[in-house]
Each structure stands twice: as C-alpha cells, then as structure tokens.
Amino acid sequence: INNEGCEDFKRVFVLDSIEFIEIDTICSNQRVDLSNYVNSLGGTWSGPGIGNWYLGRLRAWKANINAWNTYYYEVEGCIDSLEIYVQGIWAGPDQTICLETDVIQLNKTGEWIGPGVYSPLDSTYDVSTLGPGKYDVRLRQGGCQDDFKLTIYDVYLDLNGPDIYCYNTGLIPLRDVVTSNPKDGLFSGEGVVQNAGDLFFDPSLVTGTVTHIYFETLGCIDSVVINIE
C-alpha cells in the first residue's frame, strides 16, 4: 500500500531447486532438447554443442566426442549443471560402387548389419551377391547406431545410334552415339573429342575401319565398337 491509499502487488516465484531427469549418455549423431530434462522452464542453457539456448538444443556432433561435457542451466537467478557423455558413432561416408565390386572397406570394426557379409578380420564387407540398387549398412557400437548408404550401379555403355559411320559424317554429339549408366564418367577412344565443353564423335579422326569408345567410372569400364567406312 502506498501513501495515496493505492495498492499493488508483485508475484515472486520461488524455485526450490533445479532438478534434472537423468540423461547420462547420448550418441554423437543425436539432437536432444535438454529442456525436456529439467523441472522448470524459461531458463537459459549453455555448453558444448548448444545451438538454441532456450530449448537447450544440443547437437551432439558439435560437442566433445567420446568425452564428458558440462551443461549449465540458469533460471530465476539459480544455476545448476549436469554432465553428459557423448559417445562417438559414425558409420562412414556413403559409398557408390559398380556391380563388379566384390568387397568394400569399412572404416572401423564393430557390429555391422546389412545385406552383405562382414569380416571382422580386416573390417571388409562382401557385397558380391548384391544387385544394383541402394542399401543401408548399419554400425552398432556402444549403445549407438549409425547408417551409411551403399549405392551399386550396373556400369555399362550401349549404342544410342548406328554402329557404322562414314568418315565424312562430321562431328556427332557423343550422346547421340552412345548412352551410359551412370551418366557421369570418363569417355575416351579414337574419335572422341571435346569441343566447347561438350563431347563429340568425329569419324574422320579414326585410323582404320574400327574404333572403340570407352566409358570408365567407379573403377569399372565398358566399351562399344564403332565401324567406319
């Protein structure tokens, strides 16, 4: 009550204590909102890997991997901290191979799950029985798991036009002569030329009556035969 007989009030929030729900270990590929693990909201978070101070959004891959990390929470003038261990896990980069590849190398030993056969002796993965397509290969380690994508291509080069050309035909866009799978790779052979950034086939550059056009990618190679008259 003030001197004029008016009155006002202020609500004071008294926090007994900050209490955390136990969160001992997380995986390095996880994103966790620490605000879900505290008894009072409205405060601010800080610590390694915190990207949103209000939600306490922890991007574990930005924290200290395979180590304990300290996170501080402050609310209503009170502050407390919790320790979280970030367990490192990474299955490795996605891999793209050709159908003729029998074995791929994995980046570490562990429990590997997928359509191939894992050899712990040299950490290799036998994919010789797999056909073209996309596959998930999973690593389980220390209670965490991570996947990488394995893409297998049937690498080939086929004719996209006739198999015979005249010497004086002139420049022919290579895409009108052959088609490949996948599209990107290295084209070579007698008569294959580059002009203004595009590939062409020039029959006049061929010595003799037969030439090969080669396509190489992902460690595999295929070719077609072109006749010249």
Side-chain angles (χ1 to χ4, degrees), residues 27-29 61 65-66 87-95 106-110 112 137-141 144-149:
C27 304
S28 61
N29 58 354
W61 57 91
I65 309 300
N66 294 323
Q87 173 69 50
I89 183 73
W90 187 52
D94 294 342
Q95 296 194 41
L106 301 178
N107 69 345
K108 62 180 65 179
T109 58
W112 289 93
V137 182
R138 174 167 296 174
L139 170 64
R140 286 180 179 171
Q141 192 175 52
C144 299
Q145 64 182 34
D146 191 38
D147 299 352
F148 75 83
K149 294 287 185 182

Side-chain angles (χ1 to χ4, degrees), residues 157-177:
L157 184 69
D158 286 340
L159 289 171
N160 202 31
D163 65 350
I164 186 168
Y165 293 91
C166 297
Y167 278 106
N168 60 357
T169 301
L171 287 176
I172 310 166
L174 192 61
R175 64 179 177 272
D176 294 338
V177 180

